[in-house]
Amino acid sequence: MPENSETGGETGSAAPEQSVIHSSHWGAFRARVVEGRVVEAVPFEADPDPADLLRNIPAAVHARNRVARPAIRRGWLEGRSRAEAPRGADEFVEVDWDTALDLVVGEIRRVHAEHGPASIFAGSYGWSSAGRFHHAQTHLHRLLSASGGFTASTGTYSHGATSVLFPRIIGYDANVSDSHTWDEIAERTEIWLMLGGVPAQSMKIDSGGMGAHRGAPGLDRVLRAGVRAISVNPIDGETAQADTLEWLPIRPGTDTALLLGIAHTLQDEGLEDRAFLDAHTVGYERFAAYLRGETDGTPKTAAWASAITGIPAGTIRSLARDLASSRSLVTATWSLQRAEHGEQSHWMTITLAAMLGGIGRRGEGFGIGFGSSDGIGSNRQPFGVPQPARARNPLAGAEIPVARITDALERPGGAYDFNGQRRTYPDIRLIYWVGGNPFHHHQDLVRMERAWQLPETVIVHEPWWTATAKRADIVLPATTSLERDDIGAKSSDVWIMAMKRAIEPVGEALDDREILRRIAQRLDCEEAYTGGFTLRGVYETSRREAAEYGIEMPDFDTFWEQGYARVPPAPQRSHMAQLLAGVPLQTPSGRIEIFSETIDAFGYDDCAGHPMWFPKREDAEAGRYPLHLISHQPATRLHSQMDMGPVSATRKVGGREVCRIHPVDAAARGIGDGDAVRLFNDRGACLASAALTEQVMPGVIALPTGAWFDPDPETGLERHGNPNVLTPDIGTSKLGQGTSAHTARVEVERYAGEPPPVEAFALPPMSRA
């Protein structure tokens, strides 16, 4: 039985061949294990739409680039400067666990004594594994809280901008709260305006794992019901059943202008629902004056919006009339907010829905995140999923917005604005990162790599030699979820899955919890760190909470033996339905705030008191860099996870990620289908393989995220196709400080000569102590 599992069950390593139930962010499965190796991930029998991504699992678990033993960067071990031996260009020395853990403890104690605990940054942002019990960030925060405190990150790359905005204007975070169900949309909605579409690849994943995918089958029900669905997107074909949708191509980052043009038509033709606006919103008249151009001299007409978006003015006016005369739903993906001024598109989505008057009625109004994960469109369970309690950081308020890590490293003590506060960046001396890969999800990686050299020490837990691990000083080998017992669950699913250990740990890997327990033991805070949490205990706590809502779950032993628990679908909950019933929202006015006195009082020049259009700074480079870069979620992996797997590998060309470009743009540059190309701007350059398609509108180039960062050590050219060497590292606004990844302009050219080999999955130079 694995150490600390407390399951009372058998491990999956005894018999020559076994089938072991497990789960992942891309779905539940049964691991087929032959002679101690995972050879297949067989989809869970209750899943109606299993993800092809499961085929990545066996190769990833047994990849040759697993971190086998604790390793220390030689330059750090010998006390050499980063100028002499930089992170990412140094060899590693493998050591035993005691040596490695003693070095970690020594660094924590040294930084505490010399700089204070606020100088330890627990980055640890990322999806980690699906297991709730072994959630890496939770355990790191528990350790560092127990040992004195740390600086944390707040928010997410997925929807950080509007997770700040929404509580201000509607009183809750609509990214992760209640929404319309697929059945409601199929039964009630007549016209669905999908800003950002409903990307099929993102409906294959969800944080925490799932027993059964419901997103794509739900969308299929909607389309078969005859709902008129309009995908507003620079890219066609990303939504499942795309041939049954209307594609409305739009220039990237201009959705706010489109919505303003629609809103102007509604107002100009007297089509807005004044009864709803008067009863349930505040500030409409101030916004309407902006629409009419009374505050800035520019009426936001359909013709004005057309010049910005590329959508004909007649189409915009017709769309406004259709929305006003139908039971309409306006939705926006999370991706739209990941751009400069990203708050505006979602604020305007809610404002337009308020003008149409359907908010609070089933299948009408607005929705956020459809297509951004599988669970959107399914109600959330009222009880908590099985997981350890998060710790309270003794350093209250010691946090930075997650997307501002490079700024913090470059400017210790520097001031910045965030959500109405004037804050100061900490002096980060030690980075401790588990369960994530910042050299995947951050922007302007060339700049970040320079800033990454500044801290005195970087500690990383990793199963694989990722770009982040290669740029650490101390690398501790962590197990994958298949090498430990856990529980998979998400609040929008009806399944809670046992994630049973299928194989013995690879090499000398330990699970993150055990690594941190041994560190806590050395720091004399083991009891405070562990908190007495066990798999059995967190499950039974969740079971008791479910019982308070009349939901029956089996006891732990029954759950573990059968491998899952099934609970009833969650009951319908809706803040906006309650608003119609007279229950005020948790906003200063108790209503939807089309104009927010609070935000207006902050005095920000990039986020005013009502939604509005802001030109993008990046567009000033349109002459030199005429192509808009879309760096979207890939269909072949989850972010950068499983990039070494066969599904991801077989869809690359020449070992490189594929970028899609319109034939007109390709012909103008002498680029043919399958050519190696170089994408570049002032921030950096990367190689990719070109695919010509009319599904990408002219002036746009699409390169998915997740190819492991692989810069050439001599030239700096990224060889693998990672778009984040090109994306800007600027905040969405002073309010949200989210990522602006989708505000990027580039140029592309055919690569002359033989492209350099990809070395993203190569091991770093290594020796033994």
Side-chain angles (χ1 to χ4, degrees):
M1 184 170 64
E3 188 174 2
N4 295 323
S5 72
E6 298 291 335
T7 65
E10 296 297 321
T11 69
S13 58
E17 179 166 348
Q18 287 187 296
S19 177
V20 183
I21 197 162
H22 208 72
S23 191
S24 69
H25 296 305
W26 38 93
F29 62 95
R30 294 184 185 273
R32 190 162 72 88
V33 180
V34 177
E35 296 182 349
R37 291 180 65 89
V38 178
V39 299
E40 186 180 9
V42 180
F44 181 48
E45 55 272 17
D47 193 342
D49 186 37
D52 190 43
L53 299 179
L54 292 175
R55 294 198 296 111
N56 280 324
I57 289 175
V61 170
H62 299 291
R64 64 177 300 273
N65 63 345
R66 286 291 301 266
V67 180
R69 286 168 288 278
I72 316 297
R73 187 172 65 83
R74 181 173 292 280
W76 183 89
L77 195 61
E78 296 176 352
R80 298 156 66 193
S81 71
R82 262 88 69 203
E84 183 182 5
R87 296 185 178 111
D90 200 359
E91 75 168 358
F92 284 84
V93 179
E94 292 183 328
V95 299
D96 60 71
W97 269 107
D98 284 338
T99 298
L101 295 178
D102 287 345
L103 289 171
V104 170
V105 170
E107 281 302 282
I108 292 174
R109 285 177 169 156
R110 180 189 67 80
V111 173
H112 273 206
E114 295 180 6
H115 307 288
S119 288
I120 298 178
F121 180 65
S124 309
Y125 174 83
W127 285 59
S128 184
S129 78
R132 292 294 187 177
F133 183 75
H134 284 284
H135 185 251
Q137 185 191 71
T138 296
H139 288 289
L140 179 62
H141 287 185
R142 289 190 62 83
L143 169 75
L144 295 177
S145 294
S147 60
F150 60 100
T151 292
S153 61
T154 184
T156 69
Y157 284 84
S158 295
H159 45 71
T162 55
S163 287
V164 173
L165 172 73
F166 285 150
R168 298 287 190 187
I169 66 170
I170 57 175
Y172 65 97
D173 187 354
N175 290 294
V176 296
S177 190
D178 53 69
S179 190
H180 304 278
T181 67
W182 297 110
D183 288 340
E184 288 175 335
I185 299 171
E187 293 168 5
R188 294 281 304 168
T189 307
E190 293 176 332
I191 180 171
W192 182 1
L193 186 65
M194 304 168 163
L195 302 170
V198 179
Q201 63 267 27
S202 296
M203 287 196 291
K204 290 293 187 182
I205 60 175
D206 211 333
S207 179
M210 70 208 77
H213 289 83
R214 290 187 286 172
L219 178 60
D220 182 61
R221 290 198 302 278
V222 168
L223 298 179
R224 285 191 285 106
V227 176
R228 181 188 173 196
I230 305 167
S231 176
V232 183
N233 200 324
I235 303 173
D236 190 18
E238 290 209 310
T239 300
Q241 300 89 25
D243 57 342
T244 62
L245 274 67
E246 297 177 32
W247 179 33
L248 188 59
I250 186 172
R251 291 174 184 146
T254 65
D255 300 82
T256 302
L258 169 64
L259 298 178
L260 286 166
I262 294 172
H264 185 278
T265 300
L266 294 178
Q267 184 192 69
D268 188 55
E269 299 184 5
L271 300 175
E272 75 269 42
D273 189 330
R274 289 308 305 249
F276 182 90
L277 292 167
D278 292 344
H280 301 297
T281 75
V282 294
Y284 174 70
E285 288 303 332
R286 296 188 68 166
F287 167 73
Y290 168 76
L291 265 187
R292 294 188 294 266
E294 295 171 5
T295 57
D296 64 358
T298 303
K300 310 308 178 295
T301 64
W304 169 86
S306 177
I308 295 171
T309 63
I311 299 173
T315 300
I316 296 173
R317 286 191 289 266
S318 177
L319 183 55
R321 295 164 191 149
D322 290 348
L323 289 167
S325 62
S326 307
R327 292 193 298 269
S328 56
L329 175 64
V330 184
T331 65
T333 57
W334 293 343
S335 61
L336 297 186
Q337 65 186 275
R338 298 196 287 269
E340 188 179 15
H341 312 297
E343 297 84 359
Q344 303 304 314
S345 59
H346 287 63
W347 198 347
M348 193 59 221
T349 295
I350 293 174
T351 300
L352 178 62
M355 294 178 69
L356 293 168
I359 293 177
R361 297 199 291 261
R362 293 187 303 115
E364 297 184 61
F366 70 90
I368 304 298
F370 278 91
S372 298
S373 72
D374 179 76
I376 307 296
S378 300
N379 289 326
R380 298 170 65 87
Q381 296 289 352
F383 62 93
V385 298
Q387 59 189 354
R390 293 183 178 269
R392 185 186 65 82
N393 188 353
L395 305 182
E399 60 185 21
I400 63 172
V402 68
R404 301 272 59 80
I405 175 60
T406 297
D407 286 354
L409 293 176
E410 290 178 338
R411 300 195 296 116
Y416 68 101
D417 293 293
F418 175 57
N419 196 16
Q421 298 178 338
R422 189 70 170 166
R423 294 186 172 190
T424 301
Y425 286 122
D427 181 10
I428 297 172
R429 301 300 182 104
L430 167 61
I431 294 175
Y432 203 141
W433 211 289
V434 302
N437 182 10
F439 280 91
H440 152 64
H441 56 65
H442 199 67
Q443 281 63 63
D444 197 350
L445 290 180
V446 176
R447 176 185 167 211
M448 184 182 184
E449 183 157 40
R450 290 194 299 267
W452 200 257
Q453 303 292 335
L454 297 174
E456 294 163 355
T457 302
V458 176
I459 303 169
V460 168
H461 296 193
E462 255 298 342
W464 299 278
W465 281 104
T466 63
T468 301
K470 292 175 181 178
R471 287 160 178 78
D473 300 311
I474 302 174
V475 182
L476 305 179
T479 55
T480 67
S481 68
L482 284 151
E483 298 150 58
R484 59 189 184 236
D485 288 331
D486 213 323
I487 297 174
K490 66 173 186 176
S491 60
S492 58
D493 197 11
V494 298
W495 297 94
I496 300 173
M497 304 300 302
M499 297 174 62
K500 298 187 179 183
R501 189 172 82 173
I503 59 172
E504 294 295 328
V506 172
E508 297 179 13
L510 298 173
D511 64 66
D512 296 297
R513 183 175 186 264
E514 175 59 16
I515 295 170
L516 296 168
R517 186 196 66 79
R518 295 184 185 189
I519 293 171
Q521 188 179 54
R522 287 166 165 80
L523 290 171
D524 299 320
C525 60
E526 181 178 2
E527 184 175 350
Y529 161 65
T530 62
F533 291 107
T534 64
L535 272 181
R536 181 186 299 274
V538 298
Y539 177 88
E540 291 294 350
T541 297
S542 182
R543 181 178 174 230
R544 287 192 296 272
E545 290 181 8
E548 294 174 4
Y549 292 93
I551 298 171
E552 184 178 353
M553 291 166 52
D555 62 42
F556 179 77
D557 290 329
T558 303
F559 158 71
W560 195 256
E561 181 178 358
Q562 68 186 19
Y564 53 80
R566 193 181 191 282
V567 297
Q572 171 72 11
R573 291 179 292 167
S574 170
H575 290 86
M576 291 304 168
Q578 291 180 315
L579 176 66
L580 291 188
V583 179
L585 298 173
Q586 297 298 308
T587 60
S589 64
R591 301 181 177 189
I592 298 168
E593 305 218 340
I594 294 175
F595 183 92
S596 167
E597 296 281 359
T598 301
I599 295 175
D600 189 60
F602 295 157
Y604 294 153
D605 59 358
D606 54 6
C607 189
H610 60 71
M612 59 189 296
W613 168 252
F614 290 90
K616 308 296 187 286
R617 284 176 283 176
E618 192 86 353
D619 289 342
E621 297 297 325
R624 298 170 60 212
Y625 302 116
L627 299 177
H628 291 269
L629 174 67
I630 299 293
S631 50
H632 55 90
Q633 170 66 30
T636 58
R637 55 187 172 264
L638 167 56
H639 303 308
S640 66
Q641 289 189 37
M642 309 291 173
D643 190 29
M644 76 293 284
V647 177
S648 185
T650 56
R651 298 191 194 179
K652 298 179 183 181
V653 175
R656 267 169 278 277
E657 198 56 59
V658 173
C659 68
R660 290 178 288 168
I661 184 171
H662 194 278
V664 169
D665 292 325
R669 294 161 175 81
I671 294 171
D673 203 46
D675 282 350
V677 293
R678 174 178 172 265
L679 290 77
F680 62 95
N681 58 22
D682 288 343
R683 288 179 285 272
C686 71
L687 295 182
S689 296
L692 278 55
T693 175
E694 292 185 351
Q695 289 186 319
V696 174
M697 63 184 291
V700 171
I701 190 166
L703 179 62
T705 64
W708 284 18
F709 181 54
D710 184 36
D712 186 286
E714 300 298 326
T715 67
L717 175 66
E718 206 285 325
R719 300 170 290 197
H720 196 197
N722 187 316
N724 279 331
V725 300
L726 305 166
T727 53
D729 186 9
I730 56 174
T732 51
S733 75
K734 296 180 179 69
L735 179 76
Q737 290 290 3
T739 176
S740 296
H742 291 314
T743 304
R745 282 188 169 270
V746 302
E747 182 55 286
V748 61
E749 63 184 8
R750 187 173 181 274
Y751 187 76
E754 183 70 21
V758 174
E759 299 182 11
F761 307 120
L763 298 173
M766 197 83 62
S767 62
R768 296 292 294 269

